[in-house]
Amino acid sequence: MPGFEVIDEEEKKAISRIFDEGKVFFAHGFDNKRKHYHVREFENKLKTVFSPQMADALCVSSGTAAIKVALKALGIGKGDNVITQSFNFIATVEAIVDTGASVIFTDIDDTLNMSPMSLESLITKKTKAIIPVHMLGVPADMISINKIGKRFKIPIIEDACEAIGAKVAKKYVGGLSEFGVFSFDFGKMITTGEGGALFSKKKNDGKIARMYHDHGHKNIPDLPRGLDRAGLIGFNYRMTEISGAFGKVQLGKFSGILKESKKRYLTLERYISHNQIKLRHVNLGNEPNYDTFVISIENKKLRDRVISLLNQTGFGTKNLPDAFNWHCAYFWKHINKKIRNKEVTNCYKRLLRCVAIPILVSKPIIDYKNIASYINELS
Ligand SMILES: Cc1ncc(COP(=O)(O)O)c(C=O)c1O
């Protein structure tokens, strides 16, 4: 969430510099007109910070595009099934459907992410990929999910769009499986306006992803782009140099964003003490990115009072329930008319009780302490 809150002169200067240094807005070529390859530099920095253990980091035009590129690198298409979770964002599902594959939805566990038990029960011969999603900054149970993936030999694409900076056993999410995906849209931890990144564990997957996102270009060294060869039928999901330059500045602000978000999140955790309010579960050894604080309230009257308090005081309630329709498969009859099965309905019932409090670094910490005490006073 907070990336947009910290935009200032630094981002503005980074973009102006592109004008001063040759006005090249394309990631490739024009070598004698430019001083930087901003997208390539941003990719290198992302890899160093978040997943040096992965073979490749590729910047693309959005998080949705990154998921699609990963699925394409795996050769997924018509007749295949891809399993993801019912608490999700529509983008993940759109990327799957766009390849021609079918989507299967799991139930969620106490982290509100993919239930490993539900996942295992849904695997069939048609399952060709699994996409756990670290919703609202809390990691899914990646240790169990990775074990299942290995046992059934099914690759895993971690959707870390909402969880840049979250960790499992001290490692950042997005670098824990075969692929990891970030979004840099305007509501994310760091932003480039629109944009995304794809981390690939295997060199060859990274190579295919790179070709696919760029019209199939092999980018053969020393060959001019016009004479380059196509390695496959691709598409255009490239990031612009403006986004690359912007992203490098935002990445420089990332540790500060995380630190400030953590202070506010821990204030809520420390001071919310209502006996009818449960806090979202985070697995032992996992760390959220402190972007959103989710509480669960069984009592509908109390829940409605908490929601109106958050709205009246300017906090809002982010995706739960602000944009519930876009984040739960229960509402996606346009994807599948029979979508309301056991897994999806269980997830819906669990999420109905949840309220998401956004963490904003521009809001003073005292506001979080105060809202916690107002919530505690509600009956
Ligand atoms: C979980 C999840 N996956 C994928 C996306 C898609 O990212 P983008 O908006 O960059 O296409 C989002 C964006 O909100 C998201 O929250």
Side-chain angles (χ1 to χ4, degrees):
M1 190 107 186
F4 75 88
E5 296 182 271
V6 299
I7 295 172
D8 59 20
E9 285 298 309
E10 238 191 301
E11 283 83 353
K12 201 168 157 187
K13 277 190 198 141
I15 290 174
S16 299
R17 238 177 274 132
I18 304 181
F19 286 81
D20 302 336
E21 294 180 352
K23 298 184 197 149
V24 180
F25 299 105
F26 192 51
H28 302 274
F30 304 97
D31 302 345
N32 50 11
K33 280 193 84 184
R34 61 155 96 215
K35 289 217 168 74
H36 286 278
Y37 293 85
H38 293 289
V39 174
R40 302 287 92 90
E41 289 166 21
F42 185 34
E43 285 169 349
N44 290 336
K45 283 179 194 287
L46 285 167
K47 186 162 153 9
T48 307
V49 174
F50 293 107
S51 59
Q53 73 280 14
M54 298 295 262
D56 193 50
L58 169 72
C59 282
V60 291
S61 50
S62 68
T64 314
I67 300 167
K68 169 96 181 282
V69 173
L71 292 165
K72 282 292 196 181
L74 288 170
I76 283 164
K78 203 161 184 265
D80 298 332
N81 284 353
V82 177
I83 301 184
T84 189
Q85 63 197 55
S86 306
F87 181 31
N88 211 317
F89 178 55
I90 192 75
T92 312
V93 177
E94 286 167 331
I96 299 168
V97 171
D98 209 41
T99 66
S102 302
V103 196
I104 309 292
F105 292 99
T106 72
D107 198 352
I108 53 174
D109 65 9
D110 290 345
T111 68
L112 304 182
N113 292 318
M114 180 175 278
S115 150
M117 217 174 18
S118 173
L119 165 66
E120 196 162 346
S121 73
L122 294 167
I123 290 176
T124 66
K125 281 191 178 136
K126 283 181 148 195
T127 310
K128 293 289 155 29
I130 297 164
I131 312 186
V133 189
H134 309 298
M135 287 298 285
L136 298 175
V138 169
D141 180 354
M142 288 312 296
I143 293 174
S144 308
I145 294 168
N146 276 335
K147 272 190 197 150
I148 295 171
K150 274 209 178 81
R151 185 145 48 89
F152 288 89
K153 295 193 173 55
I154 302 169
I156 290 168
I157 303 166
E158 258 184 284
D159 180 340
C161 287
E162 298 189 4
I164 300 175
K167 285 182 175 170
V168 173
K170 301 204 163 100
K171 276 195 180 151
Y172 284 119
V173 297
L176 307 173
S177 305
E178 280 73 16
F179 293 95
V181 172
F182 282 0
S183 162
F184 306 123
D185 75 24
F186 202 60
K188 296 302 184 289
M189 203 66 173
I190 54 175
T191 183
T192 57
E194 297 282 2
L198 173 66
F199 300 94
S200 306
K201 188 193 247 170
K202 292 186 191 151
K203 211 171 158 192
N204 196 48
D205 287 343
K207 199 171 136 193
I208 299 173
R210 226 163 243 285
M211 284 195 282
Y212 180 72
H213 100 294
D214 184 22
H215 298 304
H217 266 278
K218 283 185 170 177
N219 276 310
I220 298 171
D222 301 328
L223 263 195
R225 196 164 160 87
L227 298 177
D228 195 23
R229 311 276 198 292
L232 43 78
I233 301 174
F235 210 78
N236 178 4
Y237 288 120
R238 292 185 302 251
M239 177 180 269
T240 73
E241 288 289 273
I242 299 181
S243 301
F246 203 100
K248 283 191 290 175
V249 177
Q250 283 266 308
L251 188 54
K253 297 178 176 180
F254 168 70
S255 61
I257 292 174
L258 198 64
K259 201 166 130 206
E260 287 304 313
S261 301
K262 184 172 180 177
K263 286 184 201 161
R264 285 150 183 81
Y265 183 105
L266 294 184
T267 302
L268 290 176
E269 190 172 80
R270 178 163 174 210
Y271 290 104
I272 293 182
S273 59
H274 198 294
N275 63 6
Q276 290 190 65
I277 295 181
K278 279 195 207 150
L279 310 188
R280 182 181 186 181
H281 179 73
V282 179
N283 283 336
L284 201 68
N286 291 2
E287 194 182 348
N289 72 350
Y290 308 108
D291 163 87
T292 311
F293 193 85
V294 179
I295 52 181
S296 170
I297 310 164
E298 188 87 45
N299 177 333
K300 187 176 178 321
K301 281 197 178 130
L302 173 63
R303 189 166 67 238
D304 287 346
R305 283 187 197 114
V306 171
I307 293 168
S308 42
L309 172 70
L310 287 164
N311 286 330
Q312 278 160 22
T313 47
F315 279 85
T317 61
K318 212 168 168 182
N319 306 337
L320 297 171
D322 262 20
F324 194 17
N325 295 11
W326 292 97
H327 293 88
C328 181
Y330 189 81
F331 298 100
W332 301 340
K333 280 195 168 166
H334 66 298
I335 302 286
N336 175 352
K337 282 203 180 73
K338 294 184 183 156
I339 204 153
R340 291 181 177 176
N341 63 12
K342 179 180 73 174
E343 287 81 11
V344 170
T345 306
N346 280 347
C347 167
Y348 165 75
K349 285 186 185 157
R350 200 194 265 257
L351 294 181
L352 259 186
R353 295 181 226 132
C354 293
V355 179
I357 309 175
I359 303 290
L360 292 163
V361 296
S362 53
K363 254 191 194 308
I365 295 174
I366 187 73
D367 287 11
Y368 287 88
K369 192 171 174 198
N370 289 339
I371 197 73
S373 24
Y374 299 150
I375 289 173
N376 290 339
E377 282 161 22
L378 294 174
S379 52

